[in-house]
Amino acid sequence: MLADGRARRRPVRTPARQELEDETGVGDALVRGLVRTQLALALRLSVIVGLGLGLLPLLFALIPGLAEVRVFGVTLPWLLLGVLAYPFLLAVGWFHVRVAERNERDFAELVERS
Amino acid sequence: MGNSPYALPAVVIVSLVTVAIGAYGVRLARTTGDFLVASRSVSPRWNAAAIGGEYLSAASFLGVAGLVMKYGVDMLWYPVGFAAGYLALQLFVAAPLRRSGAFTLPDFTEARLGSRALRRLAAAFVVFIGWLYLVPQLQGAGLTLGTVIGAPYWVGAVVVGAVVTVNVASGGMRSITFVQAFQYWLKLTAISFPVAFLLLAWQHDGRPELSPPDRPAFAAQTTVEIDTAVRATVVEPTVVTIAGTLDGVARDGQETLTAGTHEFGAGTRVTLPAGAAVPHVEGPAPPDGLRWLRPGSGDGQHELFGVYSLILATFLGTMGLPHVLVRFYTNPDGRAARRTTLVVLALLGAFYLFPTVYGALGRVYAPELLMTGRTDAVVLVLPGAAIGGVTGQVLAGLVAAGAFAAFLSTSSGLLVSVAGVLSTDVLGRGSMRAVRDFRIAALVAGLVPLFLALQVNGLDVSQVVGLAFAVAASSFCPLLVLGIWWRGLTWAGAAAGLVVGGGSAAAAVLVAVLGPPLEGWAAALVAQPAAWTVPLAFAVMIGVSLATRNRVPADVGRTMLRLHAPDSLLLRGRSPM
């Protein structure tokens, strides 16, 4: 709702907006900052997923006992890959939407206010 | 096998509803813009369901359960990877790509790097990946009609090929969006609803062991019909009744199958006694329940390499699938694209909880599939085999309908993308004839994979799809990720990366599908190429871009601003590229 209202408002000609639209050095630096923040977020979350899921095959290979552990009658590999992987991915995705949108809000405020 | 009187009507109804919704959409589609991106006016909830519907293909609906049944827990990496691919898409691609305003992958490539030649190269990859992905869909359709109504293999492939081609050629994407959304919910219902009954049946039977320490055995006397010739390994001498050919000799009557590998000819009927161990189709599948239950059931290091390669292919390949990307242009803005992806992730996660159950119960209730090798059919066969009666038949009709929805929706999405690229990049004669060109392109795009599908029969559906992911991960994934996040990418670097990385993956696919059987590391490197082709593609793209630094597009700053600046800013010059 909030974003819709903002989107319909007539853009205000702030200096920062001018810098962006005229592609000055200042505007360029602003964009570089935003890209770096969003990329760092995406990469950090990829590492979390990469470690969280990617280490499993190696762990199962190195510690065969893990595959014998049973939780609620289901062995650990089946439980992790068959069920728990999905809420994990969803949680990471949810966090990403939240933080990525916050980064964009911060950037928008920086441009609108300065 | 599990013939159900409800299967044919169910399949016919799904096909008719698909055509009907498509026809309703035709009246809404007026211009080329409507056809290709549904005017970007599709609401996010419809869009998320449509993305999910389009994505859940034959590989998801039939293939995953079949692979789990045959090979065990390692195969769960397929569905996990199919879902995780959407997370990668959300993290790196969704919002910026939507803001780019480009219609297709070649559009994005040209707008970002300003090269017509590169555009044509990207178009070639879209067509290759699209066709590679279409073949297993049509194959799955042939298998489904063969299983549920006993039709010859080609019938299902031709029916799906024809319905989808006509629908796409007449309706374009607007209608497809509604069809896809409808089909997501149909597929989820079709796969989840029978699971409750299956689990009840399993309880009722005293919870028979899913992974007995020795080989799966037939619970009752079972007659197995062999459709295509198969080599299967018998563990212990078994007295069977056989009509047909065994090891090349015509037989009719009682025979003792000696331990060892035997060849059963096409059309052979074998009746095995209760308690007999199930002969296992020749191949790398784990022989007993204990190995099936554990990860790494194959041959050690190749196995681990294969798993990691598969993870890389599916995690990174999703973003490079042409039919997945085109769908994002129907979001109103970048923020909506990101949120839609998250909803899709939830929808996919919900779906993927179910195929595993079919795969595991299949070993108890439909062990004959392990002998014929047709484990892809387990989802279709299981309701009839485990539940039986009218309930079993109705549920069998429901899963057949779901399977058909899977083929129709994924094929439609792929066909729209391939036809879109063919009509703009190959026919491309100006906007006056754009709609007619799109229709011609749809016909061509549909006929080629149909021809290919009729040539190959017997490859595991999910494995062919896995190869399509590997090619996508080695071509469009580096192009998109570097194009969106790295200013230094040049058209020369992108072209070199596509040719070397994507080309190697494509070559590996051709060798895997058409070439001679390989062994050891060669087989592992070709069957799951992503672990070496993806890093290769990234390395070449970055290396050549650095070497051609003077060719970085002059407008890269403006492009970056457009891709990453929040939608709410409404910056000047944000019109589509």
Side-chain angles (χ1 to χ4, degrees):
Chain A
M1 286 310 274
L2 222 119
D4 279 357
R6 192 180 310 169
R8 273 189 216 100
R9 210 173 56 212
R10 220 187 150 74
V12 189
R13 297 253 78 84
T14 60
R17 171 182 290 276
Q18 208 64 45
E19 302 273 6
L20 280 180
E21 292 182 342
D22 298 346
E23 293 170 62
T24 61
V26 179
D28 199 47
L30 279 174
V31 178
R32 277 176 196 270
L34 175 69
V35 171
R36 209 171 298 132
T37 315
Q38 298 286 47
L39 182 61
L41 171 68
L43 286 176
R44 271 204 303 274
L45 293 177
S46 315
V47 170
I48 289 174
V49 174
L51 292 180
L53 289 176
L55 281 181
L56 290 180
L58 201 61
L59 283 177
F60 292 146
L62 295 179
I63 316 171
L66 273 183
E68 311 294 333
V69 178
R70 279 177 185 262
V71 185
F72 307 118
V74 183
T75 58
L76 202 55
W78 288 86
L79 186 68
L80 287 174
L81 296 181
V83 181
L84 296 182
Y86 302 107
F88 170 66
L89 292 173
L90 198 60
V92 174
W94 175 80
F95 183 79
H96 175 252
V97 166
R98 244 178 67 118
V99 179
E101 287 188 359
R102 194 174 66 209
N103 290 342
E104 287 179 354
R105 258 194 319 271
D106 291 349
F107 180 82
E109 274 168 22
L110 188 71
V111 173
E112 303 278 353
R113 295 226 176 114
S114 54
Chain B
M1 264 185 251
N3 283 15
S4 158
Y6 304 100
L8 185 60
V11 165
V12 169
I13 289 171
V14 169
S15 304
L16 285 182
V17 170
T18 303
V19 172
I21 303 181
Y24 167 74
V26 172
R27 285 185 287 127
L28 301 173
R30 297 255 179 268
T31 65
T32 315
D34 286 342
F35 272 94
L36 289 180
V37 291
S39 310
R40 294 182 187 161
S41 61
V42 182
S43 91
R45 236 186 305 162
W46 276 98
N47 209 27
I51 293 174
E54 188 161 301
Y55 192 58
L56 293 172
S57 68
S60 299
F61 199 90
L62 299 180
V64 168
L67 286 176
V68 167
M69 176 178 176
K70 202 193 271 184
Y71 300 107
V73 68
D74 284 337
M75 294 301 119
L76 291 180
W77 283 109
Y78 275 98
V80 169
F82 291 158
Y86 265 94
L87 183 61
L89 181 72
Q90 185 195 320
L91 293 181
F92 292 102
V93 176
L97 191 76
R98 173 61 195 85
R99 290 187 191 120
S100 79
F103 278 161
T104 63
L105 273 165
D107 281 347
F108 172 81
T109 311
E110 190 185 3
R112 169 70 177 80
L113 296 164
S115 159
R116 294 285 302 175
L118 185 61
R119 180 193 174 100
R120 273 192 287 276
L121 188 61
F125 270 97
V126 166
V127 173
F128 182 82
I129 295 170
W131 281 344
L132 190 61
Y133 210 127
L134 268 164
V135 171
Q137 308 306 322
L138 301 174
Q139 227 185 312
L143 175 82
T144 302
L145 278 198
T147 304
V148 297
I149 61 168
Y153 167 74
W154 62 267
V155 175
V158 169
V159 167
V160 167
V163 168
V164 167
T165 307
V166 169
N167 213 29
V168 168
S170 60
M173 193 153 163
R174 174 58 174 257
S175 55
I176 296 296
T177 302
F178 295 117
V179 176
Q180 307 287 32
F182 158 72
Q183 281 170 345
Y184 169 79
W185 293 108
L186 176 59
K187 276 181 269 191
L188 185 66
T189 311
I191 201 140
S192 62
F193 193 61
V195 161
F197 290 87
L198 289 172
L199 291 176
L200 279 176
W202 181 63
Q203 283 281 2
H204 179 258
D205 294 344
R207 304 168 67 114
E209 183 88 63
L210 297 177
S211 56
D214 40 282
R215 290 176 166 249
F218 291 107
Q221 175 176 311
T222 306
T223 301
V224 182
E225 289 175 38
I226 314 278
D227 299 332
T228 42
V230 67
R231 291 173 62 80
T233 308
V234 178
V235 229
E236 50 194 31
T238 313
V239 181
V240 299
T241 312
I242 185 166
T245 47
L246 175 66
D247 297 323
V249 184
R251 309 281 176 136
D252 192 5
Q254 285 225 331
E255 288 291 333
T256 304
L257 289 179
T258 51
T261 303
H262 294 280
E263 188 174 328
F264 300 87
T268 303
R269 291 167 65 98
V270 192
T271 306
L272 296 106
V278 180
H280 215 293
V281 68
E282 210 179 31
D288 57 57
L290 224 53
R291 297 260 300 274
W292 174 81
L293 191 64
R294 290 188 192 134
S297 52
D299 54 352
Q301 52 180 343
H302 299 160
E303 192 74 20
L304 204 55
F305 171 85
V307 167
Y308 275 112
S309 211
L310 174 65
I311 290 176
L312 211 55
T314 49
F315 279 37
L316 299 179
T318 304
M319 68 176 74
L321 295 176
H323 68 303
V324 168
L325 278 191
V326 82
R327 186 59 58 200
F328 277 85
Y329 300 116
T330 49
N331 283 298
D333 59 27
R335 182 168 166 271
R338 202 188 280 130
R339 292 189 160 199
T340 301
T341 320
L342 185 63
V343 179
V344 174
L345 197 55
L347 294 177
L348 293 181
F351 180 89
Y352 285 131
L353 296 175
F354 299 104
T356 319
V357 179
Y358 287 84
L361 290 179
R363 289 178 75 86
V364 175
Y365 290 108
E368 69 277 3
L369 298 177
L370 294 171
M371 177 178 172
T372 59
R374 292 301 182 100
T375 45
D376 277 336
V378 65
V379 170
L380 302 165
V381 170
L382 203 53
I387 300 158
V390 176
T391 318
Q393 288 180 340
V394 170
L395 293 176
L398 182 63
V399 287
F404 245 69
F407 315 138
L408 290 173
S409 54
T410 303
S411 315
S412 305
L414 286 164
L415 206 56
V416 168
S417 318
V418 173
V421 164
L422 280 182
S423 68
T424 45
D425 289 294
V426 180
L427 295 171
R429 290 173 301 194
S431 59
M432 287 297 287
R433 310 168 76 169
V435 171
R436 223 196 87 198
D437 280 354
F438 183 82
R439 288 184 172 156
I440 297 171
L443 282 180
V444 176
L447 286 177
V448 172
L450 182 57
F451 173 77
L452 294 176
L454 294 177
Q455 307 302 310
V456 294
N457 175 16
L459 294 164
D460 276 327
V461 165
S462 271
Q463 272 161 350
V464 179
V465 165
L467 291 172
F469 273 83
V471 178
S474 316
S475 52
F476 289 124
C477 166
L479 181 65
L480 284 167
V481 170
L482 295 175
I484 288 170
W485 299 100
W486 186 45
R487 287 165 187 250
L489 186 68
T490 65
W491 74 264
L498 278 183
V499 168
V500 176
S504 320
V509 167
L510 295 178
V511 173
V513 175
L514 307 171
L518 300 166
E519 292 203 3
W521 271 111
L525 292 174
V526 164
Q528 297 286 1
W532 61 278
T533 53
V534 174
L536 181 68
F538 270 100
V540 170
M541 237 176 239
I542 294 173
V544 175
S545 290
L546 288 177
T548 54
R549 213 168 301 166
N550 53 342
R551 293 194 197 160
V552 169
D555 63 347
V556 67
R558 184 196 301 251
T559 308
M560 283 291 158
L561 175 66
R562 184 181 301 133
L563 293 180
H564 295 282
D567 311 285
S568 59
L569 278 181
L570 286 179
L571 290 171
R572 192 152 34 94
R574 258 303 259 292
S575 55
M577 302 204 260

